[in-house]
């Protein structure tokens, strides 16, 4: 199934001869990798209070903007917004200076789904997962730092979410199932699964700067680095009776492993901007600069070496709109 960035996201049937129409619905993003949550908590609050008290008991999530979910190849303008510099008493209106990617996998829902007021059982939830895409949840970290208390991210996340052009169906990934480690503490009954699992999907992030002729891989991760599974995410989303719809998109949250080379965001790799990374071109990066292209890729590998690929998820950073676009 191939997506094009048009009126909703639809299949280019006349040019590709693939699939059916896909209409963009709602988008929810989760926070399901323990390594990522711990890393961010250490950066923000310190290791003694890295995980919030609720994190080990429920899949934390927030509602994103489906209107800015776009397909690979759609570039992103550096956003402007309110930022609170550490040396200023009041916030300023500024272009984002800490632009970041997030390496995620998105699950697309299929039907028939629940009616409003009706939950989805965790061991039945997989029946409502049609397939998966790669997902880059673009993040403006300095805007996020100022705005996220008390209701979580808003403008820092709503300007662009890019997905890969191919949907890999659940059936195509059947042979790549893996078990996830036991959860401790044991979750409440509605989140307890007969099989707590994910899929062995190798994930990468590469950057290509304007000075470089080739992409350079800076992240190697895997979809198995989850604490909360996709089915637990869906069951929790619907537990209060939230009606899910065909075409809804659930983001996994940033997928990070235990090693620095597997961290799924620059916020983690640079440890809050304290450490830069050296690229092969000789350039340094803590966060993204204008002209940088971010490429997410992913594949599952069979025992005979053949691959099930996702297609690249690509987006380039464009300069912020001039100040005259915002006020006279």
């Amino acid at each position: 199934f191939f997506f094009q960035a048009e009126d909703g996201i639809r299949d280019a049937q006349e040019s590709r001869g693939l699939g059916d129409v896909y209409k963009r619905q709602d988008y929810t993003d989760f926070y399901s990798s323990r390594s990522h949550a711990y890393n961010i908590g250490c950066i923000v609050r310190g290791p003694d209070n890295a995980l919030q008290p609720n994190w080990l008991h429920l899949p934390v999530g927030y509602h994103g903007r489906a209107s800015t979910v776009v397909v690979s190849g759609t570039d992103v303008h550096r956003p402007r917004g309110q930022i609170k510099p550490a040396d200023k008493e009041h916030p300023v209106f500024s272009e984002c200076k800490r632009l970041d990617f997030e390496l995620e996998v998105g699950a697309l829902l299929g039907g028939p789904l629940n009616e409003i007021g009706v939950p989805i059982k965790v061991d039945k939830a997989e029946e409502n997962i049609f397939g998966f895409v790669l997902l880059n949840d673009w993040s403006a970290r300095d805007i996020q730092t100022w705005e996220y208390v008390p209701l979580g991210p808003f403008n820092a996340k709503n300007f662009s979410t890019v997905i890969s052009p191919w949907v890999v169906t659940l059936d195509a990934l059947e042979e790549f199932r893996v078990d996830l480690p036991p959860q401790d503490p044991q979750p409440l009954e509605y989140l307890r699964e007969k099989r707590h699992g994910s899929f062995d999907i190798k994930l990468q992030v590469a950057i290509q700067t304007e000075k470089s002729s080739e992409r350079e891989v800076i992240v190697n991760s895997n979809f198995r680095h989850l604490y909360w599974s996709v089915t637990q995410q869906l069951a929790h989303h619907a537990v209060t009776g939230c009606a899910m719809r065909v075409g809804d998109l659930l983001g996994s949250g940033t997928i990070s492993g235990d090693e620095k080379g597997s961290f799924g965001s620059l916020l983690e790799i640079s440890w809050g901007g304290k450490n830069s990374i050296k690229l092969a071109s000789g350039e340094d990066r803590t966060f993204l600069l204008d002209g940088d292209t971010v490429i997410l890729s992913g594949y599952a590998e069979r025992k005979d070496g053949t691959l099930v690929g996702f297609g690249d998820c690509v987006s380039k950073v464009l300069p912020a709109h001039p100040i005259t676009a915002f006020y006279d």
Side-chain angles (χ1 to χ4, degrees), residues 13 15 50 58 74 90 97 103 136 148 177 179 188 201 241 255-256 301:
Q13 189 170 4
S15 61
L58 57 84
T74 306
H90 300 292
K97 295 178 173 62
L103 171 61
N136 182 359
Y148 84 100
R177 289 184 183 274
D179 292 324
L188 296 177
I201 302 171
I255 303 169
S256 297
E301 186 172 1

Side-chain angles (χ1 to χ4, degrees), residues 17-78:
L18 298 168
D20 297 314
V21 173
Y22 166 70
K23 184 177 179 182
R24 176 173 43 203
Q25 297 286 359
D26 283 327
Y27 164 51
T28 302
D29 197 32
F30 285 91
Y31 191 43
S32 296
S33 164
R34 182 169 183 167
S35 292
H36 173 67
Y38 178 78
N39 290 340
I40 299 303
C42 287
I43 293 168
V44 175
R45 294 180 298 275
D48 293 337
N49 192 31
L51 294 180
Q52 297 282 22
N54 63 350
W55 199 90
L56 292 171
H57 296 275
L58 57 84
V60 173
Y62 71 93
H63 295 287
R65 285 291 301 179
S67 63
T68 46
V69 175
V70 295
V71 75
S72 176
T74 306
D75 297 333
V76 56
H77 281 276
R78 181 178 299 274

Side-chain angles (χ1 to χ4, degrees), residues 221-265:
S221 190
N222 196 296
F223 194 36
R224 68 196 306 162
H225 295 321
L226 294 180
Y227 184 85
W228 296 105
S229 70
V230 175
T231 43
Q232 287 176 315
Q233 294 166 26
L234 178 53
H236 183 64
H237 201 318
V239 70
T240 52
C242 175
M244 311 303 294
R245 296 187 292 180
V246 172
D248 281 357
L249 176 65
L250 306 184
S252 62
T254 305
I255 303 169
S256 297
D258 294 333
E259 305 298 326
K260 183 177 180 179
S262 64
F263 293 172
S265 68

